[in-house]
Amino acid sequence: MTGDDSDRRSGGGLATWTTRRWLRVGVTASLVILTLLGVAGAWVLSRTQSISTDLVDVRSPALASAFRLESALLNQETGIRGYGLTGTPEFMAPYQQGLAEQRTETAQLTELLHDDPSGLADLKAVQDAVTSWQERIARPIAAAPPGTPSPLAAGSALEGKNAFDDVRAALSGQEDRLREDRDAARSDLAAMMRLRNWVFGAVAVLIAALAALVFEGLRRGITEPLDQLVADARTIGGGDFDHPITPTGPADLRRLSGEIDSMRRRLVRELAFTEEARLRLDEQAADLQRSNTELEQFAYVASHDLQEPLRKVSSFTQLLQRRYGGRLDAKADQYIAFAVDGANRMQVLINDLLDFSRVGRLHHAHQEVDLDQVLEQTLAALSVGIEEAEAKITHDPLPTLVADPTQMGMLWQNLIGNAVKFRRPGVAPEIHVSAVREDALWHFAVTDNGIGIAPEFAEKVFVIFQRLHTKDAYSGSGIGLAMCKKIVEFHGGTIAIDPDHREGARITFTLAPEPPQRPGPPTGETAARSDTEQER
């Protein structure tokens, strides 16, 4: 049953109105009042803008153009009079300039006054007077040869004065009418601005009154019942789940209170089950933490126990190689070389495995890291290999992130080192590091012109100890890109091979400005063993 049905059954009294009906009536009345106020305000603003535009764009420019037209005609009269009396050609310059200005100002006045018949009539009167003066006086005098005074100027001086007086009179009438129109527009604008101020003052008062009415209606119809409901809910949230909720307010809020009380009873029933599930999760989390700790201890114990006999094997095989190298047959020398190489490679693998396991555990000091500076340090550390390969390395401006500086150094060292190592024979490596901010992540790419990575191996190269080439072709343990993947994911990013890049390889990865929160470094026995291994 809807709120409106309830209202009809109860007779529609205010005391039985639902929240929906209160809001519907209040919003409708508010919209009607605001619409009327908006229409009135819009009309006032539109009228004010129209008068202001007419004053600024038509009346004032027209009056100014009329003044300039008068000045142009005065220049013509002065030039013609001087030329007629003296015959000096220099007097024709202001006359010619006045003609050009006359045409310009006449065209502008015609455009400005195209909706003003009276203004156009005044302009036509001015043009008729000017045409009469020019045909009778100005043009005949201008056509006289220079050098001597024009007889026409001396003979028709009075006629020329009278003709130009007609021009002056027409100009004066035009300017007076334009000035009156401008003053009238100013008066209309001032009156409309006063009306605008009154209208917006009334709008402000009505809006304040409407806000007060809305506030009082919301307080009585919604806020007070909701406050009571919130107080009951806060009591229940404090742990008193047996506290009942008292239905108050409009009918729909009373129904809401009943639903919330029903939910309270259902939560009480489910609380026991939730607590049991939480205890099981706590036990599983403890088991997982214990398992992780045991795995860390196993990794360090295994690496330590492997390192000790391996050092002996490596040392004694190297002693055999130095002492008996060349004294035994070729097979013996070959076997000794195999043993030395195997021991050395095993030691490299164990050290790389240790570095891989330490990512995110020992190197966990997050701080602001300038990746430009870290990359420069990495290039300095790899300078020998870079110079031997004649590699050209460029990079975009790199950002400053919150990260572990040691891990960032390991990341650049592996990516740049791989780009230099896996180069094409006879081709100098060209490596570029790019960085672009997209949304909340930084997108990086390391692009080279080396041998590239086939698309079918795009996932395999990030698996630990996975190699695409034999150790004789390219040295290494096959752990570099796996370490890069672990470092990037530890800092909240992803790494991949760009399958669309064909001329070499392009490795793309993302880093967050701040990495996700991780558990702290190992403590107790594990931390002590970590320190021991680092010293060794």
Side-chain angles (χ1 to χ4, degrees), residues 130-174:
V130 170
T131 301
S132 176
W133 173 76
Q134 288 177 342
E135 290 178 351
R136 293 162 48 195
I137 306 298
R139 291 175 184 168
I141 294 176
T148 59
S150 173
L152 181 62
S156 59
L158 181 60
E159 182 183 0
K161 178 179 180 303
N162 293 334
F164 200 78
D165 285 343
D166 293 339
V167 174
R168 292 178 188 273
L171 287 170
S172 177
Q174 181 188 45

Side-chain angles (χ1 to χ4, degrees), residues 466-487:
Q466 292 294 320
R467 296 175 54 90
L468 305 183
H469 308 278
T470 64
K471 66 181 181 65
D472 296 329
Y474 294 98
S475 62
S477 58
I479 203 172
L481 288 181
M483 185 176 296
C484 292
K485 183 174 188 292
K486 189 173 182 181
I487 292 172

Side-chain angles (χ1 to χ4, degrees), residues 38-262:
V39 170
W43 179 83
V44 170
L45 287 177
S46 176
R47 181 59 181 161
T48 303
Q49 181 65 30
S50 176
I51 296 174
S52 176
T53 301
D54 181 67
L55 178 62
V56 173
D57 295 342
V58 178
R59 301 303 171 187
S60 295
L63 183 59
S65 184
F67 288 148
R68 290 193 296 271
L69 176 61
E70 181 182 15
S71 177
L73 293 174
L74 289 175
N75 287 339
Q76 292 182 40
E77 195 273 337
T78 301
I80 285 297
R81 181 157 42 85
Y83 182 73
L85 294 176
T86 64
T88 303
E90 285 76 5
F91 282 104
M92 291 300 293
Y95 173 71
Q96 297 297 336
Q97 182 180 357
L99 287 175
E101 293 175 353
Q102 174 193 345
R103 289 190 293 270
T104 301
E105 300 304 331
T106 300
Q108 184 172 359
L109 279 171
T110 302
E111 181 180 357
L112 291 172
L113 301 175
H114 68 278
D115 290 333
D116 185 359
S118 299
L120 291 176
D122 290 340
L123 179 59
K124 187 177 184 307
V126 171
Q127 288 176 317
D128 292 342
V130 170
T131 301
S132 176
W133 173 76
Q134 288 177 342
E135 290 178 351
R136 293 162 48 195
I137 306 298
R139 291 175 184 168
I141 294 176
T148 59
S150 173
L152 181 62
S156 59
L158 181 60
E159 182 183 0
K161 178 179 180 303
N162 293 334
F164 200 78
D165 285 343
D166 293 339
V167 174
R168 292 178 188 273
L171 287 170
S172 177
Q174 181 188 45
E175 292 171 0
D176 290 342
R177 181 183 295 276
L178 290 175
R179 192 177 289 106
E180 290 174 0
D181 291 344
R182 185 194 62 181
D183 294 341
R186 285 179 174 175
S187 300
D188 291 344
L189 179 61
M192 190 55 62
M193 291 179 68
R194 288 192 296 271
L195 177 61
R196 180 199 62 186
N197 295 338
W198 277 103
V199 168
F200 280 99
V203 168
V205 172
L206 289 175
I207 289 178
L210 181 62
L213 290 174
V214 170
F215 176 79
E216 182 64 18
L218 290 176
R219 185 185 67 83
R220 292 189 177 185
I222 298 176
T223 305
E224 288 183 352
L226 285 179
D227 287 342
Q228 179 63 43
L229 182 60
V230 168
D232 292 339
R234 185 179 294 112
T235 301
I236 295 172
D240 186 4
F241 296 103
D242 295 328
H243 177 77
I245 295 179
T246 304
T248 57
D252 51 352
L253 287 183
R254 291 196 297 273
R255 288 196 299 270
L256 176 61
S257 299
E259 294 293 335
I260 294 177
D261 193 61
S262 174

